[in-house]
Amino acid sequence: MIRRCRIMKTVTIKFGSVDNATSFVKAIEDFESHFDLIYGQYVVDAKSLLGVMTMDIRNKVDLRIMERENEMPTIMKAISPYIAA
């Protein structure tokens, strides 16, 4: 079965610490939606802790969300602590 994305949204996030990066991955891992972290020319799967750790977690990065299953309100609530001001 092919699942189509309903909404694509990009937000800027910042972790600031390894603990925050780890808790971020745990916060999004059970969603059906797809998440990419983008920093310059680099793109990694945001559900992959190893991928997240390859990014410079001290800097802001873009999070691209490709929503599935009408999850966007719940996703935004889960990632709100990591959204950069």
Side-chain angles (χ1 to χ4, degrees):
M1 180 171 93
I2 297 174
R3 294 183 181 175
R4 298 193 184 255
C5 296
R6 294 181 41 107
I7 298 173
M8 184 166 34
K9 182 173 187 154
T10 302
V11 295
T12 302
I13 61 170
K14 184 172 181 178
F15 302 117
S17 73
V18 172
D19 290 339
N20 283 346
T22 302
S23 64
F24 170 81
V25 172
K26 288 180 182 177
I28 66 167
E29 68 186 359
D30 291 330
F31 287 110
E32 293 291 322
S33 300
H34 181 79
F35 302 84
D36 287 326
L37 283 177
I38 306 161
Y39 184 71
Q41 66 186 24
Y42 299 101
V43 179
V44 299
D45 180 355
K47 288 184 179 181
S48 165
L49 183 57
L50 184 59
V52 171
M53 292 307 187
T54 65
M55 307 295 267
D56 184 353
I57 62 171
R58 296 169 295 170
N59 290 319
K60 294 178 183 178
V61 294
D62 288 330
L63 174 67
R64 182 173 52 207
I65 306 163
M66 281 131 324
E67 180 201 30
R68 296 184 182 134
E69 309 298 331
N70 297 315
E71 297 178 316
M72 194 60 74
T74 310
I75 290 169
M76 294 307 294
K77 184 175 179 181
I79 68 169
S80 65
Y82 312 100
I83 296 176

Coordinates of all heavy atoms in Angstrom, one line a residue:
M1 N 0.8 -1.2 0.0 CA 0.0 0.0 0.0 C 0.9 1.2 0.0 O 1.8 1.3 0.8 CB -0.9 0.0 1.2 CG -1.8 1.2 1.3 SD -3.0 1.1 2.6 CE -2.2 1.9 3.9
I2 N 0.6 2.2 -0.8 CA 1.3 3.5 -0.9 C 0.6 4.5 0.0 O -0.6 4.7 -0.1 CB 1.3 4.0 -2.3 CG1 2.1 3.0 -3.2 CG2 2.0 5.4 -2.4 CD1 2.1 3.4 -4.7
R3 N 1.4 5.1 0.9 CA 0.8 6.1 1.8 C 1.3 7.5 1.2 O 2.5 7.7 1.0 CB 1.3 5.9 3.2 CG 0.8 4.7 3.8 CD 1.2 4.6 5.2 NE 0.7 3.4 5.8 CZ 1.0 2.9 7.0 NH1 1.8 3.6 7.7 NH2 0.5 1.8 7.4
R4 N 0.4 8.4 1.1 CA 0.7 9.7 0.5 C 0.8 10.7 1.7 O 0.1 10.6 2.6 CB -0.3 10.1 -0.5 CG -0.4 9.2 -1.7 CD -1.1 9.7 -2.8 NE -1.2 8.8 -3.8 CZ -0.5 8.9 -4.9 NH1 0.3 9.9 -5.1 NH2 -0.7 8.0 -5.9
C5 N 1.7 11.6 1.5 CA 1.9 12.7 2.4 C 0.7 13.7 2.2 O 0.4 14.0 1.1 CB 3.2 13.4 2.3 SG 4.6 12.3 2.6
R6 N 0.2 14.2 3.3 CA -0.9 15.2 3.2 C -0.3 16.6 3.3 O -0.7 17.5 2.5 CB -1.9 15.0 4.3 CG -2.7 13.7 4.2 CD -3.7 13.6 5.3 NE -4.3 14.9 5.6 CZ -5.6 15.2 5.3 NH1 -6.3 14.3 4.7 NH2 -6.0 16.4 5.6
I7 N 0.6 16.8 4.2 CA 1.2 18.1 4.4 C 2.7 18.0 4.6 O 3.2 17.1 5.2 CB 0.6 18.8 5.7 CG1 -0.9 18.9 5.6 CG2 1.3 20.1 6.1 CD1 -1.6 19.4 6.9
M8 N 3.4 19.0 4.0 CA 4.8 19.0 4.2 C 5.0 20.4 4.9 O 4.6 21.4 4.4 CB 5.6 18.9 2.9 CG 7.1 18.9 3.2 SD 8.2 18.4 1.8 CE 7.5 19.0 0.4
K9 N 5.8 20.3 6.0 CA 6.0 21.5 6.8 C 7.5 21.5 7.2 O 8.1 20.5 7.5 CB 5.1 21.6 8.0 CG 5.3 22.8 8.8 CD 4.2 22.8 9.9 CE 4.3 24.1 10.7 NZ 3.0 24.5 11.3
T10 N 8.1 22.7 7.2 CA 9.5 22.8 7.7 C 9.5 23.8 8.9 O 8.9 24.9 8.8 CB 10.4 23.4 6.6 OG1 10.3 22.5 5.4 CG2 11.8 23.4 7.0
V11 N 10.2 23.4 9.9 CA 10.4 24.2 11.1 C 11.9 24.2 11.5 O 12.6 23.2 11.2 CB 9.5 23.8 12.3 CG1 8.1 23.9 12.1 CG2 9.8 22.3 12.7
T12 N 12.3 25.2 12.1 CA 13.7 25.3 12.6 C 13.8 24.9 14.0 O 13.0 25.3 14.8 CB 14.3 26.7 12.4 OG1 14.1 27.1 11.0 CG2 15.7 26.8 12.8
I13 N 14.7 23.9 14.3 CA 14.9 23.4 15.6 C 16.3 23.5 16.1 O 17.2 23.7 15.3 CB 14.4 22.0 15.7 CG1 15.2 21.0 14.8 CG2 12.9 21.8 15.4 CD1 14.9 19.6 15.1
K14 N 16.5 23.4 17.4 CA 17.8 23.4 18.0 C 17.8 22.5 19.2 O 16.9 22.6 20.0 CB 18.2 24.8 18.4 CG 19.7 24.9 18.9 CD 20.1 26.3 19.1 CE 21.6 26.3 19.6 NZ 22.1 27.6 19.8
F15 N 18.8 21.6 19.2 CA 18.9 20.7 20.3 C 19.7 21.3 21.5 O 19.3 21.2 22.6 CB 19.5 19.4 19.9 CG 18.8 18.7 18.7 CD1 19.3 18.5 17.5 CD2 17.5 18.3 18.9 CE1 18.6 17.9 16.5 CE2 16.7 17.7 17.9 CZ 17.3 17.5 16.7
G16 N 20.9 21.7 21.2 CA 21.8 22.2 22.3 C 22.5 21.2 23.1 O 23.5 21.6 23.7
S17 N 22.0 20.0 23.2 CA 22.7 19.0 23.9 C 22.4 17.6 23.4 O 21.4 17.4 22.7 CB 22.3 19.0 25.4 OG 21.0 18.6 25.6
V18 N 23.2 16.6 23.7 CA 23.0 15.3 23.3 C 21.7 14.7 23.9 O 21.0 14.0 23.3 CB 24.2 14.4 23.7 CG1 23.9 12.9 23.5 CG2 25.5 14.8 22.9
D19 N 21.5 15.1 25.2 CA 20.2 14.6 25.9 C 19.0 15.1 25.1 O 18.0 14.4 24.9 CB 20.2 15.1 27.3 CG 21.2 14.3 28.2 OD1 21.6 13.2 27.8 OD2 21.5 14.9 29.3
N20 N 19.0 16.4 24.7 CA 17.8 16.9 23.9 C 17.7 16.2 22.6 O 16.6 15.9 22.2 CB 18.0 18.4 23.7 CG 17.7 19.2 25.0 OD1 17.1 18.7 25.9 ND2 18.1 20.5 25.0
A21 N 18.8 15.9 21.9 CA 18.7 15.2 20.6 C 18.2 13.8 20.8 O 17.3 13.4 20.0 CB 20.1 15.2 20.0
T22 N 18.6 13.2 21.9 CA 18.1 11.8 22.2 C 16.6 11.9 22.5 O 15.8 11.0 22.0 CB 18.8 11.2 23.3 OG1 20.2 11.2 23.0 CG2 18.4 9.8 23.6
S23 N 16.1 12.8 23.3 CA 14.7 12.9 23.6 C 13.9 13.3 22.4 O 12.7 12.9 22.3 CB 14.5 13.8 24.8 OG 14.8 15.1 24.5
F24 N 14.4 14.1 21.5 CA 13.7 14.5 20.3 C 13.5 13.2 19.5 O 12.3 13.0 19.0 CB 14.6 15.5 19.5 CG 14.0 15.7 18.1 CD1 13.0 16.6 17.9 CD2 14.6 15.0 17.0 CE1 12.5 16.8 16.6 CE2 14.1 15.3 15.8 CZ 13.1 16.1 15.6
V25 N 14.5 12.4 19.3 CA 14.3 11.2 18.5 C 13.2 10.3 19.1 O 12.4 9.7 18.4 CB 15.6 10.4 18.3 CG1 15.4 9.1 17.6 CG2 16.6 11.3 17.5
K26 N 13.3 10.1 20.4 CA 12.2 9.3 21.1 C 10.9 9.9 20.9 O 9.9 9.2 20.8 CB 12.6 9.2 22.6 CG 13.8 8.3 22.8 CD 14.1 8.2 24.3 CE 15.3 7.3 24.5 NZ 15.7 7.2 25.9
A27 N 10.8 11.3 20.9 CA 9.5 11.9 20.8 C 8.8 11.7 19.4 O 7.6 11.7 19.3 CB 9.6 13.4 21.0
I28 N 9.6 11.5 18.4 CA 9.0 11.4 17.0 C 9.1 10.0 16.5 O 8.4 9.7 15.4 CB 9.8 12.3 16.0 CG1 11.2 11.9 15.8 CG2 9.6 13.8 16.4 CD1 11.9 12.6 14.6
E29 N 9.7 9.0 17.2 CA 9.9 7.7 16.6 C 8.7 6.9 16.3 O 8.7 6.0 15.4 CB 10.9 6.9 17.4 CG 10.4 6.5 18.8 CD 11.5 5.8 19.6 OE1 12.6 5.6 19.2 OE2 11.2 5.5 20.8
D30 N 7.6 7.2 17.0 CA 6.4 6.4 16.8 C 5.4 7.0 15.9 O 4.3 6.4 15.6 CB 5.7 6.1 18.2 CG 6.5 5.2 19.1 OD1 7.2 4.3 18.6 OD2 6.4 5.4 20.3
F31 N 5.7 8.1 15.3 CA 4.8 8.7 14.3 C 4.9 8.0 13.0 O 6.0 7.5 12.6 CB 5.1 10.2 14.1 CG 4.6 11.1 15.3 CD1 5.6 11.7 16.1 CD2 3.3 11.3 15.6 CE1 5.2 12.4 17.2 CE2 2.9 12.1 16.6 CZ 3.9 12.7 17.4
E32 N 3.9 8.0 12.2 CA 3.9 7.4 10.9 C 4.5 8.3 9.9 O 5.0 7.9 8.8 CB 2.5 7.1 10.4 CG 1.8 5.9 11.2 CD 2.4 4.6 10.9 OE1 2.8 4.3 9.7 OE2 2.6 3.8 11.8
S33 N 4.5 9.6 10.2 CA 5.1 10.6 9.3 C 6.6 10.5 9.1 O 7.2 9.8 9.9 CB 4.8 12.0 9.8 OG 3.4 12.2 10.0
H34 N 7.1 11.1 8.1 CA 8.5 11.1 7.8 C 9.2 12.4 8.2 O 8.6 13.5 7.9 CB 8.8 10.8 6.3 CG 10.2 10.7 6.0 ND1 11.0 9.5 6.2 CD2 11.1 11.6 5.4 CE1 12.2 9.8 5.8 NE2 12.3 11.0 5.3
F35 N 10.4 12.3 8.7 CA 11.1 13.5 9.2 C 12.5 13.5 8.7 O 13.2 12.5 8.8 CB 11.1 13.5 10.8 CG 9.8 13.4 11.5 CD1 9.2 12.2 11.7 CD2 9.2 14.6 11.9 CE1 8.0 12.1 12.3 CE2 8.0 14.5 12.6 CZ 7.4 13.3 12.8
D36 N 12.9 14.7 8.1 CA 14.3 14.9 7.7 C 14.9 16.0 8.4 O 14.2 17.1 8.6 CB 14.4 15.2 6.2 CG 14.1 14.0 5.3 OD1 14.5 12.8 5.7 OD2 13.5 14.1 4.2
L37 N 16.1 15.9 8.8 CA 16.9 17.1 9.4 C 17.8 17.6 8.2 O 18.4 16.8 7.6 CB 17.7 16.7 10.5 CG 17.0 16.5 11.9 CD1 18.0 16.0 12.9 CD2 16.3 17.8 12.3
I38 N 17.8 18.9 8.0 CA 18.5 19.5 6.9 C 19.4 20.5 7.5 O 19.0 21.4 8.2 CB 17.5 20.1 5.9 CG1 16.5 19.1 5.4 CG2 18.3 20.7 4.7 CD1 15.3 19.6 4.8
Y39 N 20.7 20.4 7.2 CA 21.7 21.4 7.6 C 22.6 21.6 6.4 O 23.4 20.7 6.0 CB 22.5 20.9 8.8 CG 23.5 21.9 9.3 CD1 23.1 23.1 9.9 CD2 24.9 21.8 9.1 CE1 24.0 24.0 10.4 CE2 25.8 22.7 9.6 CZ 25.3 23.8 10.2 OH 26.2 24.7 10.7
G40 N 22.4 22.7 5.7 CA 23.2 23.0 4.5 C 22.8 22.0 3.4 O 21.7 21.8 3.1
Q41 N 23.8 21.3 2.9 CA 23.6 20.3 1.9 C 23.3 18.9 2.5 O 23.1 17.9 1.7 CB 24.8 20.2 0.9 CG 26.1 19.7 1.6 CD 27.3 19.8 0.7 OE1 27.3 20.6 -0.2 NE2 28.3 19.0 1.0
Y42 N 23.4 18.7 3.8 CA 23.2 17.4 4.4 C 21.8 17.2 4.8 O 21.1 18.1 5.4 CB 24.1 17.3 5.6 CG 25.6 17.5 5.3 CD1 26.3 18.6 5.5 CD2 26.3 16.4 4.7 CE1 27.6 18.8 5.2 CE2 27.6 16.5 4.3 CZ 28.3 17.7 4.6 OH 29.6 17.9 4.2
V43 N 21.3 16.0 4.6 CA 19.9 15.6 4.9 C 20.0 14.2 5.6 O 20.6 13.3 5.1 CB 19.0 15.5 3.7 CG1 17.6 15.0 4.1 CG2 18.9 16.8 3.0
V44 N 19.5 14.1 6.8 CA 19.5 12.8 7.5 C 18.1 12.5 8.0 O 17.2 13.4 8.2 CB 20.4 12.8 8.7 CG1 21.9 13.0 8.3 CG2 20.1 13.8 9.8
D45 N 17.8 11.3 8.2 CA 16.5 10.8 8.8 C 16.5 11.2 10.2 O 17.3 10.8 11.0 CB 16.4 9.3 8.6 CG 15.2 8.7 9.2 OD1 14.3 9.4 9.8 OD2 15.0 7.5 9.0
A46 N 15.5 12.0 10.6 CA 15.4 12.6 12.0 C 15.0 11.5 13.0 O 15.2 11.7 14.2 CB 14.5 13.7 12.0
K47 N 14.6 10.3 12.5 CA 14.2 9.3 13.4 C 15.4 8.4 13.8 O 15.3 7.5 14.6 CB 13.1 8.4 12.9 CG 11.7 9.0 12.8 CD 10.7 8.1 12.3 CE 9.3 8.7 12.3 NZ 8.3 7.7 11.8
S48 N 16.5 8.7 13.1 CA 17.8 7.9 13.4 C 18.7 8.7 14.3 O 19.2 9.7 14.0 CB 18.5 7.7 12.0 OG 19.8 7.3 12.3
L49 N 18.9 8.1 15.5 CA 19.7 8.8 16.5 C 21.1 8.9 15.9 O 21.8 10.0 16.1 CB 19.7 8.0 17.8 CG 20.5 8.7 18.9 CD1 20.1 10.1 19.2 CD2 20.5 7.8 20.2
L50 N 21.6 7.9 15.2 CA 22.9 8.0 14.6 C 23.0 9.1 13.6 O 23.9 9.9 13.6 CB 23.3 6.7 14.0 CG 24.7 6.6 13.4 CD1 25.8 6.9 14.5 CD2 25.0 5.2 12.8
G51 N 22.0 9.3 12.8 CA 21.9 10.3 11.8 C 21.9 11.7 12.5 O 22.6 12.6 12.1
V52 N 21.1 11.8 13.5 CA 21.0 13.1 14.2 C 22.3 13.5 14.8 O 22.7 14.6 14.8 CB 19.9 13.0 15.3 CG1 19.9 14.3 16.2 CG2 18.5 12.9 14.7
M53 N 23.0 12.5 15.4 CA 24.3 12.8 16.0 C 25.4 13.2 15.0 O 26.4 13.7 15.4 CB 24.8 11.6 16.8 CG 23.9 11.3 18.0 SD 23.8 12.8 19.0 CE 22.9 12.2 20.4
T54 N 25.2 12.9 13.7 CA 26.1 13.4 12.7 C 26.0 14.8 12.4 O 26.9 15.4 11.8 CB 26.0 12.6 11.4 OG1 24.8 12.9 10.8 CG2 26.2 11.1 11.6
M55 N 24.9 15.4 12.9 CA 24.6 16.9 12.6 C 25.3 17.6 13.8 O 25.7 17.1 14.8 CB 23.1 17.2 12.7 CG 22.3 16.4 11.8 SD 22.6 16.7 10.1 CE 21.4 17.9 9.7
D56 N 25.6 18.9 13.5 CA 26.1 19.8 14.6 C 25.0 20.2 15.4 O 24.2 21.1 15.1 CB 26.8 21.0 14.0 CG 27.5 21.9 15.0 OD1 27.3 21.6 16.2 OD2 28.2 22.8 14.6
I57 N 24.7 19.5 16.6 CA 23.6 19.8 17.4 C 23.6 21.1 18.1 O 22.6 21.5 18.7 CB 23.3 18.6 18.4 CG1 24.5 18.5 19.3 CG2 23.0 17.3 17.6 CD1 24.2 17.5 20.5
R58 N 24.7 21.8 18.0 CA 24.8 23.1 18.7 C 24.1 24.2 17.8 O 23.8 25.3 18.3 CB 26.2 23.5 19.0 CG 26.9 22.6 20.0 CD 28.4 22.8 20.0 NE 28.9 22.4 18.7 CZ 30.1 22.7 18.3 NH1 31.0 23.3 19.1 NH2 30.5 22.3 17.1
N59 N 24.0 24.0 16.5 CA 23.4 24.9 15.6 C 22.0 24.6 15.3 O 21.5 23.5 15.5 CB 24.2 24.9 14.3 CG 25.6 25.5 14.5 OD1 25.8 26.5 15.2 ND2 26.6 24.9 13.8
K60 N 21.3 25.6 14.7 CA 19.9 25.4 14.3 C 19.9 24.5 13.0 O 20.8 24.7 12.2 CB 19.2 26.7 14.0 CG 19.0 27.6 15.3 CD 18.4 28.9 14.9 CE 18.3 29.8 16.1 NZ 17.7 31.1 15.8
V61 N 18.9 23.7 12.9 CA 18.7 22.9 11.7 C 17.3 22.9 11.3 O 16.4 23.2 12.1 CB 19.2 21.4 11.9 CG1 20.7 21.3 12.2 CG2 18.4 20.7 13.1
D62 N 17.0 22.7 10.1 CA 15.6 22.6 9.6 C 15.1 21.2 9.7 O 15.8 20.2 9.4 CB 15.5 23.1 8.2 CG 15.7 24.6 8.0 OD1 15.4 25.3 9.0 OD2 16.2 25.0 7.0
L63 N 13.9 21.1 10.2 CA 13.2 19.8 10.3 C 12.1 19.8 9.2 O 11.2 20.7 9.3 CB 12.6 19.6 11.7 CG 11.7 18.3 11.8 CD1 12.6 17.1 11.7 CD2 11.0 18.4 13.1
R64 N 12.1 18.9 8.3 CA 11.1 18.8 7.2 C 10.2 17.7 7.6 O 10.7 16.5 7.8 CB 11.7 18.6 5.9 CG 10.6 18.5 4.8 CD 11.2 18.5 3.4 NE 12.2 17.4 3.3 CZ 13.3 17.4 2.5 NH1 13.5 18.4 1.7 NH2 14.1 16.4 2.5
I65 N 8.9 17.9 7.8 CA 7.9 16.9 8.2 C 7.0 16.6 7.0 O 6.4 17.6 6.4 CB 7.1 17.5 9.4 CG1 8.0 17.9 10.5 CG2 6.1 16.4 9.8 CD1 7.2 18.8 11.5
M66 N 6.9 15.4 6.6 CA 6.0 14.9 5.6 C 4.9 14.1 6.3 O 5.1 13.0 6.7 CB 6.7 14.1 4.5 CG 7.4 15.1 3.6 SD 9.2 14.8 3.2 CE 10.0 14.2 4.5
E67 N 3.8 14.8 6.6 CA 2.8 14.2 7.4 C 2.0 13.1 6.7 O 1.7 13.2 5.6 CB 1.8 15.3 7.8 CG 0.7 14.8 8.7 CD -0.6 15.7 8.6 OE1 -0.8 16.3 7.6 OE2 -1.3 15.7 9.6
R68 N 1.7 12.1 7.5 CA 0.8 11.0 7.2 C -0.2 10.8 8.3 O 0.2 11.1 9.5 CB 1.6 9.7 6.9 CG 2.5 9.8 5.8 CD 3.2 8.5 5.5 NE 4.2 8.6 4.4 CZ 5.4 8.2 4.5 NH1 5.8 7.5 5.5 NH2 6.2 8.3 3.4
E69 N -1.3 10.3 8.0 CA -2.3 9.9 9.1 C -2.8 11.1 9.9 O -3.1 10.9 11.1 CB -1.7 8.8 10.0 CG -1.1 7.6 9.3 CD -2.1 6.9 8.4 OE1 -3.3 6.9 8.8 OE2 -1.7 6.3 7.4
N70 N -2.8 12.3 9.4 CA -3.4 13.5 10.1 C -2.7 13.7 11.5 O -3.3 14.0 12.5 CB -4.9 13.4 10.3 CG -5.6 13.4 9.0 OD1 -5.3 14.2 8.1 ND2 -6.5 12.5 8.8
E71 N -1.4 13.6 11.5 CA -0.6 13.7 12.8 C -0.1 15.0 13.1 O 0.5 15.2 14.2 CB 0.6 12.7 12.8 CG 0.2 11.3 12.6 CD 1.4 10.4 12.5 OE1 2.4 10.7 11.8 OE2 1.4 9.3 13.2
M72 N -0.2 16.0 12.2 CA 0.5 17.3 12.4 C 0.2 18.0 13.8 O 1.2 18.4 14.4 CB 0.2 18.2 11.3 CG 1.2 19.4 11.2 SD 2.9 19.0 11.0 CE 3.0 18.5 9.3
P73 N -1.0 18.1 14.2 CA -1.2 18.7 15.5 C -0.4 18.0 16.7 O 0.2 18.7 17.5 CB -2.7 18.7 15.8 CG -3.3 18.6 14.4 CD -2.3 17.8 13.6
T74 N -0.4 16.7 16.7 CA 0.3 15.9 17.7 C 1.8 16.1 17.5 O 2.5 16.1 18.5 CB -0.2 14.5 17.6 OG1 -1.6 14.4 17.6 CG2 0.4 13.7 18.8
I75 N 2.3 16.1 16.3 CA 3.7 16.2 16.0 C 4.2 17.6 16.5 O 5.2 17.7 17.2 CB 4.0 16.1 14.5 CG1 3.8 14.7 14.0 CG2 5.4 16.6 14.2 CD1 3.8 14.5 12.5
M76 N 3.4 18.6 16.2 CA 3.8 20.0 16.6 C 3.9 20.1 18.2 O 4.8 20.7 18.7 CB 2.9 21.0 16.0 CG 3.0 21.1 14.5 SD 4.7 21.4 13.9 CE 5.1 23.0 14.5
K77 N 3.0 19.4 18.8 CA 3.0 19.4 20.3 C 4.3 18.7 20.8 O 4.9 19.1 21.7 CB 1.8 18.8 20.9 CG 1.7 18.9 22.4 CD 0.3 18.3 22.8 CE 0.2 18.4 24.3 NZ -1.0 17.9 24.8
A78 N 4.6 17.6 20.2 CA 5.7 16.7 20.6 C 7.1 17.4 20.4 O 8.0 17.2 21.2 CB 5.7 15.4 19.9
I79 N 7.2 18.2 19.3 CA 8.5 18.8 19.0 C 8.6 20.3 19.5 O 9.6 20.9 19.4 CB 8.8 18.8 17.5 CG1 7.8 19.7 16.7 CG2 8.8 17.4 17.0 CD1 8.2 19.9 15.3
S80 N 7.5 20.8 20.1 CA 7.5 22.2 20.6 C 8.7 22.5 21.5 O 9.2 23.6 21.4 CB 6.2 22.5 21.2 OG 6.0 21.8 22.4
P81 N 9.2 21.7 22.4 CA 10.4 22.0 23.2 C 11.7 22.3 22.4 O 12.6 22.9 22.8 CB 10.6 20.9 24.1 CG 9.3 20.1 24.1 CD 8.7 20.3 22.8
Y82 N 11.7 21.8 21.1 CA 12.9 21.9 20.3 C 12.9 22.9 19.2 O 13.9 23.2 18.6 CB 13.2 20.5 19.6 CG 13.1 19.4 20.6 CD1 11.9 18.6 20.7 CD2 14.1 19.1 21.5 CE1 11.8 17.6 21.7 CE2 13.9 18.1 22.5 CZ 12.8 17.3 22.5 OH 12.7 16.4 23.5
I83 N 11.7 23.6 19.1 CA 11.6 24.6 18.0 C 12.4 25.8 18.4 O 12.3 26.3 19.6 CB 10.1 25.0 17.8 CG1 9.4 23.7 17.2 CG2 10.0 26.1 16.9 CD1 7.9 23.9 17.1
A84 N 13.2 26.3 17.5 CA 14.1 27.4 17.8 C 13.3 28.7 17.8 O 12.4 28.9 17.0 CB 15.2 27.5 16.7
A85 N 13.7 29.6 18.7 CA 13.0 30.9 18.8 C 13.4 31.8 17.7 O 14.4 31.8 17.1 CB 13.3 31.6 20.1

